Each structure stands twice: as structure tokens, then as C-alpha cells.
Amino acid sequence: MAVIGSVYNHLKEMIPNQIGRYSDEFYPTSTGDNFIKAGMPTILFEGGHFVDDYTRKGTRKYYTVALYYALKVISELNSDITGWETYLEIPENKETHYDIVYRNVRLNTEHECILDIAVQYREMKEEGKDEISFIPFVMEAGDVKRKKGWLEIDCTGKKFISATRYPKLDAVVDFKIED
């Protein structure tokens, strides 16, 4: 906790209001959690997202900086570990954004139906391609006002074009929005 607190103190100046910590809940499928369960001290760095940085170039930069400060602090540790309290100051992570939110989408239905559609890219390895593909999936449809989109598209007055009347949840985006 002292190491993480120290890394936080260095990074919060570089990327203010962009650092969070996950809950301490145990996840049986998490590699890091299983290292801890086996008695191995573990510090987990998870990288988020910068706008239009799907290759994570910016994220990798801050991973490197975080690793540098973590190793520096670890090399200076002694039996009198101080500064662990800072760890508790790190805000807990909240999922607040989708990659795209289409706002005010009017569906092609008999009754008036206006809603938001939230889309999240999934990183997938496609057959025959060397690079990772970012495939858009519908995550929510309805009132999505509690979350933001890295890209928000106002669809007021535009047409929802799809082979189906409604966007299907947890499915690849199969619609277009046209003027």
C-alpha cells in the first residue's frame, strides 16, 4: 500500500483525476489475486483509456513511469514502512464511460421511441489479420444519462437504419445513423 501510495503521489500531478483503485474484493479468475492467495506480494497496474488512444500508447507511457517509481520506492523500503495511508486516498474506480453513446436515437417503430445507445469496443483477434481489431458492441439501450461517451453523437432528427427495429444488447453494432 505504501508503494502504491507513493506511485499515486507522483502520477496524480501528471494525470490529475485519472487514477483510481479497484475494490479489494477477491476475483478467483484474476492472476494477481491468485498470486496474493499463494503468498506472493503483488502490485497490480491496470491501464485505462485516453481519448482516441486505442493502441494504448499514452497508457504504456504512464505504466513505465509508474513502474519506475514503484521500483524506486521498493529499493528504498525499510522495516519502518510509512505512507500507506495515501493508498486510502486514491478514489475507487467507477465505470463512467462507454466508447460511443448515441443520444436521442429515434427507432423505426410504430410508436415514438427515443433512446440512447451505448457502444463499447472489444479487442478481438480476427482470422487473417496481424493487428487487434476493435469491434463495436451494443452494451445498453435506453436511458444512459448516468454515463458518458468518449464520443457522443446527437442523433436528433437523424434516421436509425437497421435490419431490426431495436439494437440487440451484447451484439455487434448492426445499425447506421444517417441524416
Side-chain angles (χ1 to χ4, degrees):
M1 290 170 69
V3 173
I4 295 168
S6 179
V7 169
Y8 172 69
N9 279 334
H10 286 92
L11 286 178
K12 72 181 181 182
E13 302 302 319
M14 295 178 207
I15 47 175
N17 303 314
Q18 295 187 54
I19 301 171
R21 64 179 166 91
Y22 284 96
S23 74
D24 293 332
E25 181 179 344
F26 179 78
Y27 292 96
T29 58
S30 166
T31 302
D33 287 356
N34 281 291
F35 282 158
I36 293 168
K37 184 179 176 182
M40 290 184 260
T42 304
I43 296 174
L44 176 65
F45 295 95
E46 285 204 43
H49 177 74
F50 288 98
V51 176
D52 293 329
D53 185 24
Y54 289 101
T55 59
R56 306 286 198 269
K57 184 177 179 182
T59 302
R60 287 194 308 270
K61 170 186 170 184
Y62 292 109
Y63 271 143
T64 305
V65 172
L67 184 58
Y68 168 80
Y69 284 115
L71 291 171
K72 186 174 185 314
V73 170
I74 290 168
S75 73
E76 297 168 354
L77 279 179
N78 57 41
S79 60
D80 181 32
I81 297 174
T82 58
W84 63 268
E85 301 88 350
T86 303
Y87 174 83
L88 301 174
E89 296 172 15
I90 302 171
E92 195 163 305
N93 251 350
K94 294 183 180 103
E95 297 293 329
T96 59
H97 284 74
Y98 285 110
D99 287 310
I100 304 170
V101 176
Y102 295 90
R103 302 279 183 200
N104 308 308
V105 176
R106 186 176 198 287
L107 298 181
N108 297 323
T109 55
E110 295 168 11
H111 58 282
E112 183 169 272
C113 183
I114 298 175
L115 49 73
D116 300 330
I117 302 172
V119 172
Q120 191 74 28
Y121 290 113
R122 291 188 186 162
E123 298 174 14
M124 303 177 94
K125 178 74 171 112
E126 292 184 291
E127 188 78 27
K129 291 188 177 181
D130 292 334
E131 299 289 322
I132 296 287
S133 297
F134 295 91
I135 310 297
F137 277 76
V138 176
M139 302 309 294
E140 282 191 62
D143 181 2
V144 188
K145 288 183 180 56
R146 70 189 183 295
K147 290 197 178 179
K148 299 174 188 165
W150 293 110
L151 172 63
E152 297 218 1
I153 300 170
D154 184 5
C155 298
T156 304
K158 297 181 180 180
K159 293 180 183 176
F160 174 80
I161 299 174
S162 176
T164 60
R165 286 186 181 177
Y166 306 99
K168 186 174 179 185
L169 296 180
D170 204 34
V172 175
V173 169
D174 68 346
F175 63 85
K176 294 184 206 171
I177 305 291
E178 292 184 357
D179 289 325

